[in-house]
Amino acid sequence: MNKTLRTPVIAGNWKMNKTASEAEILIKELIPLAENAACETVICVPFTDISTAVTLTKGTKIKVGAQNVHFKASGAFTGEISAKMLTEAGVTYVVIGHSERRQYFNETDLTVNRRTKAALEAGLTVILCVGEMLSEREDGITETVVELQTVAALTGITAEQMKNVIIAYEPVWAIGTGKVATDEQAEEVCAFIRKVLETKYGKETADKTVIQYGGSMNPKNAAGLLAKENIDGGLIGGASLKADDFKALLEAAS
Ligand code: PEP
């Protein structure tokens, strides 16, 4: 089964939650939970928590991610953070193209592509988010939207660089809404994304790429989703903020 070619990745997206002192409490709870997990464990924290997270997770199985990165190396980009700033701070993963960035901060397929290139060049592993809005699903254009986002984001990215790319399929209508995609809906689109990767990079790269599902994943629905052939973990918002919930997700992925 091709699923065995990939190690699942459970990544928490904390969004704009947890001050550094709050982060310290949660990370200390998460460290022993990640120790026995047979999946990769990543926490994507706010910029102000990076230093705390990197210090506390040193020598543990938890990797630290950021939630965005700018595409320029330096310069007059007030409020932005470069890839080198992240790597020097000890960050190894970064979420790019999250629907909340696309929706509220004018993120486009072009800027997603630029950020992806900059992050990969700096040695970061990219968690690249794609997903359709409810109206797009209702119009029957889910695959068109997801293919466009995926191909646009990966323009100029080589098969070698794909070793450091994770795709997170996140239907926008399921994020933070409690409306989870059914196991079959999620699997259908993740399998489609793998086909898109196969067309662009060939079967070997497609088979090895981790494709996560994200959107109201929680301890109750995780096992069904993660058992699917093409779903290799999750990008998790709300349920990543409570140690007990995150523990259940790590167990489901293991
Ligand atoms: C997310 O932030 O990527 C996400 C999937 O959030 P939630 O799990 O809360 O829906």
Side-chain angles (χ1 to χ4, degrees):
M1 195 155 111
N2 289 341
K3 201 170 169 71
T4 57
L5 298 172
R6 308 177 289 269
T7 304
V9 179
I10 292 290
N13 173 22
W14 288 11
K15 314 195 190 203
M16 196 174 72
N17 293 295
K18 304 283 176 192
T19 64
S21 59
E22 291 166 345
E24 181 172 346
I25 296 167
L26 179 56
I27 292 166
K28 283 181 174 165
E29 291 179 296
L30 297 180
I31 288 170
L33 308 181
E35 223 41 50
N36 301 320
C39 60
E40 293 276 340
T41 308
V42 184
I43 49 171
C44 299
V45 302
F47 292 131
T48 50
D49 294 350
I50 286 173
S51 168
T52 303
V54 168
T55 304
L56 289 172
T57 58
K58 211 172 197 150
T60 76
K61 288 180 74 180
I62 298 181
K63 307 271 173 35
V64 178
Q67 298 171 17
N68 195 17
V69 61
H70 194 60
F71 38 86
K72 292 283 189 181
S74 62
F77 302 101
T78 303
E80 293 292 330
I81 299 280
S82 76
K84 195 160 175 233
M85 288 170 183
L86 293 178
T87 55
E88 270 201 30
V91 167
T92 49
Y93 286 72
V94 62
V95 176
I96 295 181
H98 193 280
S99 66
E100 286 151 18
R101 301 291 320 167
R102 294 180 193 255
Q103 222 174 330
Y104 307 132
F105 302 99
N106 300 324
E107 192 77 73
T108 65
D109 287 335
L110 181 64
T111 56
V112 168
N113 175 242
R114 286 184 177 161
R115 290 179 207 277
T116 301
K117 280 181 180 157
L120 291 172
E121 276 160 22
L124 291 162
T125 294
V126 171
I127 300 177
L128 171 66
C129 302
V130 297
E132 82 288 0
M133 292 189 293
L134 183 58
S135 58
E136 293 166 334
R137 175 163 282 268
E138 286 170 349
D139 285 348
I141 56 168
T142 295
E143 291 191 351
T144 308
V145 170
V146 167
E147 179 170 14
L148 208 97
Q149 290 177 344
T150 305
V151 171
L154 297 177
T155 301
I157 304 304
T158 64
E160 182 61 25
Q161 288 177 306
M162 283 302 290
K163 290 177 183 160
N164 293 320
V165 175
I166 292 169
I167 312 269
Y169 166 55
E170 297 210 308
V172 180
W173 48 271
I175 298 178
T177 58
K179 268 191 222 163
V180 68
T182 64
D183 301 348
E184 290 69 30
Q185 283 172 323
E187 166 65 11
E188 192 179 30
V189 182
C190 290
F192 173 74
I193 293 170
R194 206 173 297 288
K195 278 264 166 293
V196 170
L197 297 180
E198 186 175 334
T199 304
K200 186 168 165 63
Y201 294 107
K203 187 162 165 45
E204 196 186 336
T205 299
D207 280 347
K208 286 186 175 163
T209 303
V210 169
I211 302 179
Q212 299 172 314
Y213 167 77
S216 299
M217 192 185 266
N218 63 40
K220 287 201 180 116
N221 58 36
L225 289 160
L226 294 170
K228 289 290 179 191
E229 168 81 19
N230 287 287
I231 303 179
D232 313 311
L235 181 58
I236 297 125
S240 71
L241 296 169
K242 289 191 201 128
D244 282 350
D245 285 356
F246 204 61
K247 177 176 187 248
L249 299 177
L250 292 174
E251 284 169 357
S254 301

